[in-house]
């Protein structure tokens, strides 16, 4: 064998430039290539079912699933033994990105895997997690915590979570678990409703999220206090708040985002007016606003203040713009682009 192939960095480079089939061939050709190739073959997994295929055949429950699309679904049948998980634990450290759908039919599978995890995350090198969780009616608080400990290890840097159910147990457990993820830089959380029971766990997480750079939260109605809490994430660069419909208390403190550069806000005219009067962002350059009703005049109240002194791009999706709004906008000397779009809602 040529000396070229004895240099790990060069083998890694060749693997990174190779397609999927070539990587499979390299893994089979020589034992010394196996780890280099498998690192990339297994780095992205579109579904948890691919990992469960590593279990013994007699432990696999295979059938076609048609929601949200047709694909082969693999579950666990029977009780797992420690020896059943050998291959799974061999390949799991290679996974960096995965999508998971939590359903009534499969959350028990995750609890079985948790029993054989020895308190460690299933995917110890996971970086990016995309998860969808409809309402799980029969899940307990302890089971929520176990599933999140299994999926959310300390190595995770990016989470996109669509919480389509109304269970406050999963939401509260999720935000509590985030406090054990020190390097989280991207968080997207979307839900039909924001459970009031989750307030405390979210507000405890955000002030300590020192690595968080992007925060995107969406619900029908967001609690007004979310702005003040998010402002304590000092390295936040991009933020999106969808569902600002309430005004909060009259003594709500101002929320200064020292590093924020891009901000998207949507909600009612009342909620947005209150939010924009509360927010101050000295580094903000891009602001996008969408409001749901026909109200106007959300920018006008900012006249005389300088909440966004370096703003260069403003986009508003609205029903109409008031004269007071325009007069205030024209006072923003650094604004270069103003884009007005019709509101489709």
């Amino acid at each position: 064998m040529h000396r070229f192939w004895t240099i790990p960095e060069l083998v890694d480079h060749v693997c990174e430039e190779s397609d999927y089939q070539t990587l499979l061939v390299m893994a089979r050709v020589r034992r010394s290539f196996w780890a280099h190739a498998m690192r990339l073959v297994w780095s992205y997994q579109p579904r948890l079912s691919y990992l469960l295929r590593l279990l013994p055949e007699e432990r696999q429950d295979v059938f076609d699933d048609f929601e949200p699309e047709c694909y082969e679904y693999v579950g666990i049948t029977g009780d797992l033994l420690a020896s059943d998980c050998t291959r799974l634990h061999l390949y799991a450290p290679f996974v960096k990105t995965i999508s998971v759908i939590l359903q009534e039919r499969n959350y028990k599978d995750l609890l079985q895997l948790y029993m054989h995890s020895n308190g460690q995350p299933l995917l110890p090198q996971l970086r990016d997690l995309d998860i969808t969780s409809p309402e799980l009616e029969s899940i307990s608080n302890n089971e929520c915590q176990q599933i999140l400990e299994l999926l959310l290890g300390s190595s995770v840097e990016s989470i996109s979570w669509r919480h389509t159910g109304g269970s406050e147990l999963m939401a509260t457990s999720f935000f509590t678990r985030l406090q054990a993820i020190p390097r989280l830089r991207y968080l997207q959380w979307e839900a039909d409703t924001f459970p009031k029971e989750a307030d405390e766990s979210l507000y405890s997480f955000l002030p300590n999220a020192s690595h968080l750079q992007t925060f995107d939260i969406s619900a029908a109605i967001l609690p007004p206090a979310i702005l003040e809490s998010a402002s304590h994430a000092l390295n936040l660069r991009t933020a999106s708040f969808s569902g600002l419909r309430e005004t909060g208390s009259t003594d709500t403190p101002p929320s200064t985002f020292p590093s924020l550069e891009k901000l998207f806000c949507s909600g009612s005219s009342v909620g947005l007016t209150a939010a924009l009067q509360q927010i101050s962002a000295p580094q903000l350059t891009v602001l996008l606003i969408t409001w749901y009703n026909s109200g106007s005049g959300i920018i006008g109240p900012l006249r005389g203040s300088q909440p966004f002194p370096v703003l260069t791009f403003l986009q508003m999706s609205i029903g109409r713009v008031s004269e007071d709004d325009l007069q205030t906008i024209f006072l923003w000397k650094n604004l270069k682009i103003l884009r007005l779009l019709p509101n489709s809602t």
Side-chain angles (χ1 to χ4, degrees):
M1 182 175 66
H2 195 280
R3 287 182 58 192
F4 176 93
W5 298 108
T6 66
I7 303 174
E9 293 79 6
L10 295 179
V11 178
D12 277 339
H13 179 72
V14 171
C15 289
E16 288 168 1
E17 298 297 322
S18 301
D19 59 26
Y20 183 80
Q21 293 300 325
T22 302
L23 291 171
L24 293 178
V25 171
M26 291 184 67
R28 294 188 183 103
V29 164
R30 195 170 188 86
R31 185 184 298 271
S32 60
F33 295 165
W34 183 87
H36 298 277
M38 287 297 100
R39 175 178 63 86
L40 298 174
V41 168
W42 284 90
S43 63
Y44 168 71
Q45 296 301 313
R47 290 185 292 275
L48 185 63
S49 291
Y50 287 84
L51 281 171
L52 298 184
R53 273 294 196 182
L54 296 170
L55 297 174
E57 188 172 345
E58 62 271 17
R59 292 285 181 260
Q60 298 179 27
D61 181 17
V62 182
F63 57 91
D64 291 332
D65 193 344
F66 296 94
E67 294 182 3
E69 59 185 22
C70 182
Y71 65 89
E72 183 182 77
Y73 174 83
V74 180
I76 298 175
T77 182
D79 295 327
L80 281 181
L81 303 175
S83 58
D84 294 332
C85 301
T86 302
R87 291 185 68 213
L88 177 61
H89 290 157
L90 176 64
Y91 287 90
F94 294 122
V95 179
K96 299 295 180 64
T97 302
I98 196 169
S99 297
V100 177
I101 300 177
L102 279 180
Q103 303 175 79
E104 288 286 345
R105 71 173 56 161
N106 76 342
Y107 84 87
K108 296 289 187 181
D109 296 341
L110 292 171
L111 292 175
Q112 282 220 60
L113 294 173
Y114 177 82
M115 294 291 292
H116 297 283
S117 68
N118 297 318
Q120 300 300 314
L122 175 65
L123 308 171
Q125 300 300 321
L126 187 67
R127 296 291 184 271
D128 305 303
L129 174 64
D130 186 290
I131 189 163
T132 301
S133 63
E135 186 168 1
L136 303 174
E137 296 180 357
S138 58
I139 197 168
S140 68
N141 183 52
N142 188 52
E143 289 172 335
C144 285
Q145 294 176 10
Q146 290 177 356
I147 289 173
L148 293 171
E149 287 178 19
L150 184 74
L151 295 176
L152 298 176
S154 60
S155 64
V156 174
E157 298 177 356
S158 172
I159 302 173
S160 296
W161 190 300
R162 285 171 294 281
H163 186 60
T164 56
S167 170
E168 66 275 5
L169 285 180
M170 184 60 75
T172 303
S173 297
F174 171 66
F175 289 124
T176 300
R177 179 61 184 171
L178 291 182
Q179 299 178 48
I181 306 178
R183 294 192 296 273
L184 189 66
R185 55 177 178 77
Y186 178 94
L187 175 61
Q188 179 186 30
W189 193 82
E190 177 183 348
D192 298 331
T193 59
F194 186 90
K196 184 173 179 57
E197 293 79 359
D199 284 3
E200 184 176 348
S201 57
L202 175 59
Y203 300 159
S204 297
F205 158 70
L206 286 169
N208 298 303
S210 60
H211 287 76
L212 192 65
Q213 297 184 11
T214 300
F215 180 51
D216 181 342
I217 185 167
S218 173
I221 301 177
L222 288 178
I226 189 70
L227 296 174
E228 196 276 331
S229 182
S231 69
H232 293 287
L234 300 181
N235 291 310
L236 201 62
R237 300 287 190 273
T238 302
S240 176
F241 303 97
S242 299
L244 296 168
R245 295 177 181 268
E246 300 180 344
T247 59
S249 62
T250 56
D251 58 349
T252 301
S255 302
T256 300
F257 293 78
S259 302
L260 194 65
E261 299 170 356
K262 297 180 181 179
L263 173 64
F264 172 79
C265 294
S266 67
S268 67
S269 57
V270 171
L272 288 169
T273 300
L276 292 175
Q277 289 180 290
Q278 180 182 346
I279 295 173
S280 173
Q283 302 301 321
L284 191 74
T285 58
V286 176
L287 175 61
L288 296 89
I289 304 171
T290 298
W291 63 88
Y292 307 139
N293 54 11
S294 58
S296 62
I298 68 168
I299 300 293
L302 299 179
R303 183 182 299 187
S305 62
Q306 290 290 328
F308 318 120
V310 297
L311 187 71
T312 59
F313 181 95
L314 173 61
Q315 175 178 301
M316 298 193 295
S317 299
I318 56 176
R320 63 188 179 89
V321 182
S322 71
E323 182 178 347
D324 196 29
D325 285 335
L326 290 175
Q327 289 178 354
T328 300
I329 290 170
F330 293 152
L331 294 175
W332 293 350
K333 297 181 180 180
N334 289 310
L335 191 66
K336 303 250 186 324
I337 298 174
L338 172 62
R339 182 178 295 168
L340 303 178
L341 303 177
N343 189 347
S344 59
T345 60

